[in-house]
Structures are given as C-alpha cells and as structure tokens.
Amino acid sequence: MPLKLSLKPGETFVVNGAVMRNGDRRGVLLLENQARVLREKDILHPRDATTPAARAYFSVMQMYLLGEADGPTYSQAAESLATLLAASETEESRAAVLDISADVACSNLYRALSRCRRLLADGEAAAA
C-alpha cells in the first residue's frame, strides 16, 4: 500500500536522506515502496535540541534519517536516552523513555521517533 503525502506549497520533507521541497502549489506524492520519510514539522534542527528530550529526539531522528541502527548514531541515541531517563521526574515519563529505548534496540526507529515526539509535546505542555 503506497504512502500518500499531501504537501502544502513550499513544504520541505526528507526522503531517504534527500531534502526535497514542494513547488508553489499543493501537491500529492505517492511513495510506492519502503522509504524513510520525515515532514518539515517533524524535523528538529540541531540548534533546537536544547533539552534532554529534544536531544533524544534529535539523535533518534538522525538514526532514522540515516537508516543506521548501530554505530556512532546508536551510541549517541543510547547516551541521550540515558540522560533523558536520568532527568525524568515521573514514573510515566521513565516508562515512556524505556519504551523508546526498546524501540531503538529493536530498530523500530519510526515508532521510537513517534514516541519521542509525544514526549517532547508533553514536556512542552508541562513547561507552559
């Protein structure tokens, strides 16, 4: 089943590491095979990775975009997740970090990234 992306004018997205931008009109892109895709709204820039949760998100995002489940990107993700676990103040947030870690260990990187995104959103809501 193809993945259907409905794109806004000028929206940036990444497919298998290639940064792409939609033209000046709304567009639809159908991906017929497996690909690593991230939309602009889900891309975190290094300068914005200023909290333990954001650094964990960024490191998992790098693993996902590069398609690497081991090596230096894995080490960076493991370190940032350990830091996030130590900084977690509630049992619920610790459980969420452990779920993310399990996904990373099983190379289920998109699910790990989705869980990180929720953790980031929860943290931003708590800080507001």
Side-chain angles (χ1 to χ4, degrees):
M1 173 185 261
L3 173 65
K4 180 180 179 181
L5 290 175
S6 296
L7 302 165
K8 296 182 246 177
E11 184 175 4
T12 300
F13 58 102
V14 178
V15 177
N16 290 344
V19 178
M20 306 172 125
R21 183 176 308 274
N22 189 33
D24 58 357
R25 294 188 212 143
R26 290 192 69 76
V28 175
L29 183 67
L30 294 174
L31 295 170
E32 297 287 342
N33 60 349
Q34 290 288 94
R36 295 178 312 277
V37 178
L38 267 188
R39 297 179 78 110
E40 184 173 13
K41 67 179 181 163
D42 297 325
I43 297 171
L44 182 69
H45 295 276
R47 67 180 175 272
D48 297 326
T50 58
T51 65
R55 284 189 288 280
Y57 182 91
F58 183 78
S59 62
V60 173
M61 182 188 76
Q62 289 296 105
M63 285 183 71
Y64 174 72
L65 287 175
L66 295 172
E68 295 179 5
D70 57 9
T73 56
Y74 180 85
S75 297
Q76 180 185 7
E79 184 178 320
S80 64
L81 288 166
T83 301
L84 179 58
L85 184 62
S88 296
E89 297 177 354
T90 66
E91 190 60 39
E92 187 178 274
S93 63
R94 283 188 286 277
V97 174
L98 292 174
D99 287 342
I100 294 166
S101 298
D103 287 336
V104 168
C106 294
S107 299
N108 197 340
L109 300 176
Y110 190 79
R111 185 180 339 173
L113 195 57
S114 295
R115 290 180 197 256
C116 280
R117 192 177 308 117
R118 283 194 299 270
L119 200 59
L120 255 181
D122 291 346
E124 289 172 1

